[in-house]
Amino acid sequence: MTQAPDDLRATPDRAPRRHDREIIALALPAFGALVAEPLFLLADSAIVGHLGTPQLAGLGVAATLIATAVGVFVFLAYATTAAVSRRVGSGDLPTAIRQGMDGIWLALIISAAVVAVAIPAAPALIDLSGASATAAPYGVTYLRISSLGIPAMLVIFAATGVLRGLQDTRTPLYVAVAGFAANAALNVTLVYGAGLGIAGSAWGTVIAQNAMAAVYLTVVVRGARRHLGGAAEAQQSRGGALPGWWASLRPDAAGIRACARAGGPLLVRTLCLRAILVIATAVAARIGDVSIAGHQVAFTLWTLMAFALDAIAIAGQAIIGRYLGADDPAGAAAACRRMVQWGIVSGVVLGLLVVAARPLIVPLFTSDPAVRDVLMPVLLIVALSQPVMGVVCVLDGVLMGAGDGPYLAWSMLVTLAVFTPAAFAVPALGGGLSALWWALMLMMLTRTATLGLRARSGKWLVTGAVRA
């Protein structure tokens, strides 16, 4: 783990098999963890839905706001994975742990600011989201309580990045599954057993999130004790006031600033991506109710398949960072090529599944003949887009693992600039939902072109324990 595998260079014919084993070992648990995350909201919705329509509507609005507030900071996981995996590749586990702690401290600082805004602004935010007069009070209640879980959620992002960087995607899977089970049990108990209603649902989720964060912190602290034990003994022998491993857990201003600088471009990337998705939804709504209904179904399926492809990207972040940290650009390039192949094959398989399952999928989501009519051709576009998405997700993960955040930010700004006029031209020219999804296909092809050019250039192959 601490050095690039020398046998890849000695026996090139074994390289693809070695890469396959690494990708599977990291991607499968990562996929399980990714799928477990939306189950939190699914459980909340299923339980709160039996309280009444206003409660469910309030939950929907508040949960969307929480997801948006937290989702833009997913760079805490991405940037931490890249930094830690580089240190792992260079054989410097103590510094890898220290960089991971810097990411966790940055998560706490950001979350304090977000909570300070979210709680007092809850009524205004719910009102801006268009909640009805009957749903708004429930939305405010859920948003205010759920905001208390934001620090835990951001800590989970950062700590997940630490573990991924250490080539461990199994622990996040176990924690996610246990957290989902605890969340469901707490929701039932507090909503119905304690009679707290929607507030009970929010408290149950907050408790589960904080428990998950506590588990992650325990794992990271144990790693610090294990890998920094030598430093602890050395410092104590010199009369140091604190053990070395304990001192490494304290906030370090320079390290936190470095994490923020690395995460800034990834924040721009994420904001651009979210802007694209918001614009797509807004355009679908302008086309009409039938279109927005069909768009929601298509987008739900597209998102689900993105989880599978993102799992390969997560493996890419961890593997590429490790190779570059070990000064092995050839190994990183070979791993990139193999993961692109995985992305294409996975996308083709997912696309064929969508085509084959269309007659079953459409009736499952809607009984409205008008929605079915617009949805059937859109699902063909969704299917066609999957191989493209496979390449996009993999190269996105590869460049994140390489710490190539500035290029990712600029490429997403270009993509946003291409997609926006194309999307708004759809209703202006009388186009329907299929035309909007062709605009989304244009967005994906633009990302493929920009990411592919960067990958082929080799400029991302910057080696060393720290990206210069």
Side-chain angles (χ1 to χ4, degrees):
M1 178 183 296
T2 58
Q3 296 292 333
D6 295 331
D7 60 328
L8 292 187
R9 290 188 284 264
T11 55
D13 58 307
R14 292 175 54 197
R17 293 196 298 273
R18 176 63 176 268
H19 290 316
D20 289 345
R21 289 195 298 271
E22 287 188 315
I23 293 167
I24 293 172
L26 291 170
L28 284 181
F31 174 67
L34 288 170
V35 171
E37 290 174 12
L39 292 179
F40 272 84
L41 179 57
L42 182 64
D44 288 2
S45 300
I47 294 167
V48 171
H50 291 286
L51 294 175
T53 299
Q55 289 91 331
L56 183 58
L59 168 68
V61 171
T64 299
L65 290 170
I66 289 288
T68 300
V70 171
V72 296
F73 299 114
V74 72
F75 73 83
L76 290 164
Y78 298 156
T80 305
T81 298
V84 171
S85 61
R86 274 183 177 268
R87 291 291 185 177
V88 169
S90 69
D92 189 357
L93 287 175
T95 304
I97 296 293
R98 291 189 186 98
Q99 288 193 316
M101 285 307 305
D102 292 335
I104 291 173
W105 281 112
L106 178 61
L108 290 171
I109 292 170
I110 292 172
S111 62
V114 175
V115 172
V117 171
I119 292 178
L125 292 172
I126 294 295
D127 184 61
L128 285 173
S129 298
S132 67
T134 54
Y138 298 109
V140 170
T141 297
Y142 191 91
L143 179 58
R144 280 180 166 161
I145 297 172
S146 292
S147 295
L148 299 176
I150 289 176
M153 294 167 76
L154 296 193
V155 166
I156 289 170
F157 276 164
T160 299
V162 176
L163 295 178
R164 289 173 181 170
L166 294 171
Q167 317 296 295
D168 176 10
T169 56
R170 290 182 179 273
T171 298
L173 171 61
Y174 299 150
V175 176
V177 171
F180 166 69
N183 177 62
L186 285 166
N187 268 253
V188 171
T189 301
L190 296 177
V191 171
Y192 297 112
L196 296 180
I198 194 170
S201 176
W203 280 117
T205 300
V206 168
I207 293 170
Q209 289 165 344
N210 278 276
M212 292 170 66
V215 172
Y216 275 115
L217 290 175
T218 300
V219 172
V220 172
V221 169
R222 285 179 177 173
R225 294 186 66 177
R226 182 168 61 252
H227 296 302
L228 303 179
E233 293 175 3
Q235 184 165 338
Q236 286 178 325
S237 67
R238 294 192 299 268
L242 287 172
W245 70 268
W246 178 260
S248 72
L249 301 182
R250 295 182 301 179
D252 176 66
I256 293 172
R257 285 195 299 269
C259 287
R261 285 194 299 271
L266 296 180
L267 175 61
V268 173
R269 166 207 168 271
T270 303
L271 289 173
C272 289
L273 180 57
R274 287 194 169 270
I276 288 170
L277 301 180
V278 169
I279 289 170
T281 301
V283 169
R286 288 180 63 182
I287 297 174
D289 289 347
V290 170
S291 291
I292 188 62
H295 178 73
Q296 183 59 33
V297 174
F299 181 71
T300 299
L301 293 171
W302 186 74
T303 303
L304 179 62
M305 289 181 288
F307 284 138
L309 299 173
D310 275 343
I312 304 174
I314 288 170
Q317 292 172 33
I319 293 171
I320 294 299
R322 194 190 73 225
Y323 272 109
L324 294 178
D327 294 321
D328 185 6
C336 173
R337 289 192 295 270
R338 191 60 175 174
M339 281 183 282
V340 168
Q341 294 170 1
W342 270 80
I344 293 172
V345 171
S346 299
V348 169
V349 171
L350 290 172
L352 291 174
L353 286 175
V354 171
V355 172
R358 274 193 316 156
L360 301 175
I361 293 174
V362 175
L364 181 65
F365 282 95
T366 179
S367 57
D368 187 333
V371 176
R372 291 185 181 186
D373 288 342
V374 301
L375 190 55
M376 290 295 280
V378 166
L379 289 183
L380 286 177
I381 303 172
V382 172
L384 187 62
S385 73
Q386 292 311 296
V388 180
M389 275 294 294
V391 176
V392 168
C393 287
V394 167
L395 292 181
D396 210 31
V398 165
L399 296 184
M400 284 181 189
D404 206 11
Y407 184 84
L408 288 171
W410 282 110
S411 68
M412 278 303 301
L413 287 169
V414 170
T415 303
L416 178 61
V418 170
F419 171 75
T420 301
F424 283 117
V426 170
L429 298 177
L433 186 60
S434 291
L436 174 60
W437 273 87
W438 280 118
L440 285 167
M441 174 69 91
L442 174 63
M443 177 271 290
M444 290 179 261
L445 290 172
T446 302
R447 292 204 70 198
T448 302
T450 55
L451 297 176
L453 287 172
R454 186 64 167 182
R456 288 178 63 86
S457 73
K459 293 180 180 179
W460 57 279
L461 290 168
V462 180
T463 60
V466 179
R467 183 183 173 95

